[in-house]
Amino acid sequence: MEYEHKPVLLAEALHYLRIRSGSTVVDCTLGGAGHAEAILDLLGSDGVLVGIDKDDAALKAARARLAGFSQQIKFMKGGFEKLDRLLPKAGVLEVDAFLFDLGVSSYQFDRPERGFSYRFEAPLDMRMDLSQKLTAADVVNGYSEKELAGVIRRYGEERWASKIAGLIVRTRQKRPIKTTFDLVAVVKDAVPAPARRRGGHPAKRTFQAIRIEVNGELEAVEAGLSRSINWLKPGGRVVVISYHSLEDRIVKRTFADLARGCLCPPELPVCICGKRPMVKILTKKAVRPTDEELRANPRASSARLRAAEKVGD
Ligand SMILES: C[S@@+](CC[C@H](N)C(=O)[O-])C[C@H]1O[C@@H](n2cnc3c(N)ncnc32)[C@H](O)[C@@H]1O
């Protein structure tokens, strides 16, 4: 299968990234390189794009797609939460713009053997980085009932989390839960019939939760976003596209924290905390895809974009 991923909110991302010729831009989630290709077109021959991804398959596909830009691009394998390690390795001193297009790519979802999808039978894997040890099978077969219920409730916002965790534990006492369809069957049995018929596939929220846990996705967003600000030049921008409310809440809160100035109690006559706003928020409300984009790419339906600009010293 081709590595296909239609870049989501592309025009809106380019607008907020404000790419100028000769800039240094970091795409923290290179994926199929749809956004990266459009950014490179705007960067010109003296600009630099650092493309980061945890997934070797994404990096391989991106290298092929971006072969014509080999002078301007540096590929880095790793988690964007480790920006402080990756950017010095790439020889970067300061950054004009960061893009985070979070989560899993369509390619990762659509490759049955990666185990991300409840639609295909495959081993329970769900790792973005195949050199990582922890797999979905480890979570499902190794976590305690309480831990599983917590993960499914927190990251899947699943109201039947306790029932699902309970049945996972009872099932695995008889035999390990090895495949995606084994897990789908357990979830279907745990969720009461009327609830099963509402709100999409019954295993959707459990799969999302386990994937987030396996890849440490939410911790990575918080760490990567906060670190990115320290690398931005004054006037530099960060753009984040998220796909579910848990991610979007973290983005919104992190930007709000960074945009806040003095934290002293109002009764103090002068500021003693010295905290200054680090960013100005550019998107009061999250930007959503247009109807036209949704018709062309239904997978964009949950996308929300937020952007911020680093304020001068
Ligand atoms: C939604 S896709 C990006 C698609 C890309 N913008 C495009 O136009 O094709 C997200 C990508 O980010 C990668 N990813 C997710 N979390 C990551 C992290 N913490 N560090 C590095 N890469 C990550 C995934 O492996 C996936 O390839």
Side-chain angles (χ1 to χ4, degrees):
M1 186 206 290
E2 286 297 296
Y3 197 121
E4 200 198 311
H5 182 99
K6 283 199 193 94
V8 172
L9 289 165
L10 178 61
E12 294 81 352
L14 294 175
H15 167 75
Y16 283 104
L17 287 167
R18 201 176 47 181
I19 309 287
R20 297 192 173 122
S21 150
S23 310
T24 299
V25 178
V26 182
D27 183 343
C28 290
T29 49
L30 192 60
H35 288 99
E37 189 173 49
I39 292 170
L40 281 158
D41 277 334
L42 297 170
L43 271 182
S45 54
D46 52 346
V48 173
L49 179 81
V50 179
I52 300 174
D53 208 290
K54 286 173 136 177
D55 184 345
D56 286 305
L59 286 163
K60 188 172 167 212
R63 271 182 207 282
R65 181 167 185 174
L66 304 177
F69 296 98
S70 58
Q71 299 301 311
Q72 290 124 281
I73 179 154
K74 294 183 179 162
F75 296 96
M76 303 299 296
K77 155 110 194 245
F80 57 62
E81 59 282 10
K82 299 193 183 118
L83 275 181
D84 294 351
R85 227 185 289 158
L86 294 171
L87 294 185
K89 261 205 217 163
V92 167
L93 298 174
E94 276 188 315
V95 176
D96 294 284
F98 279 96
L99 174 64
F100 293 83
D101 179 21
L102 300 172
V104 176
S105 66
S106 331
Y107 171 85
Q108 288 165 327
F109 266 127
D110 292 342
R111 294 297 296 218
E113 73 277 12
R114 301 295 296 265
F116 284 108
S117 174
Y118 46 76
R119 290 179 293 127
F120 309 115
E121 171 69 324
L124 272 176
D125 189 325
M126 303 196 195
R127 290 169 299 169
M128 291 178 186
D129 176 357
L130 293 178
S131 66
Q132 170 186 310
K133 252 184 110 243
L134 185 76
T135 66
D138 296 331
V139 172
V140 170
N141 292 289
Y143 279 26
S144 70
E145 182 171 339
K146 194 167 159 216
E147 286 169 331
L148 276 172
V151 165
I152 299 170
R153 188 175 306 110
R154 242 186 351 268
Y155 298 156
E157 300 183 292
E158 169 59 86
R159 64 180 289 220
W160 304 105
S162 304
K163 275 192 177 298
I164 295 169
L167 193 55
I168 287 177
V169 170
R170 288 199 299 284
T171 306
R172 76 189 192 198
Q173 278 160 359
K174 290 178 235 149
R175 56 182 186 283
I177 299 168
K178 285 190 179 155
T179 72
T180 47
F181 283 4
D182 289 347
L183 181 60
V184 168
V186 174
V187 175
K188 280 188 174 163
D189 282 350
V191 174
R196 237 184 287 149
R197 289 191 282 271
R198 288 193 301 265
H201 194 287
K204 185 173 163 192
R205 285 175 294 279
T206 301
F207 270 63
Q208 170 182 301
I210 290 169
R211 185 200 99 204
I212 290 176
E213 172 69 10
V214 167
N215 296 292
E217 290 180 40
L218 300 186
E219 296 87 338
V221 173
E222 195 155 4
L225 255 189
S226 312
R227 295 211 171 113
S228 69
I229 305 301
N230 300 328
W231 286 90
L232 274 182
K233 291 180 190 165
R237 292 187 164 189
V238 53
V239 171
V240 189
I241 304 171
S242 55
Y243 295 87
H244 52 77
S245 53
L246 297 166
E247 278 172 352
D248 186 54
R249 244 178 267 153
I250 293 178
V251 178
K252 192 173 166 190
R253 199 192 60 225
T254 308
F255 279 174
D257 286 349
L258 291 163
R260 198 168 302 131
C262 169
L263 294 174
C264 295
E267 55 277 15
L268 281 190
V270 287
C271 167
I272 54 164
C273 75
K275 186 173 180 313
R276 298 246 184 100
M278 300 269 288
V279 303
K280 176 171 87 183
I281 295 171
L282 301 174
T283 45
K284 270 211 172 68
K285 277 172 61 181
V287 177
R288 308 294 306 264
T290 58
D291 291 343
E292 194 187 338
E293 175 167 9
L294 291 178
R295 274 194 296 276
N297 184 11
R299 281 176 167 172
S301 66
S302 57
R304 297 177 182 90
L305 179 149
R306 295 186 188 269
E309 180 176 305
K310 178 138 175 195
V311 294
D313 293 325

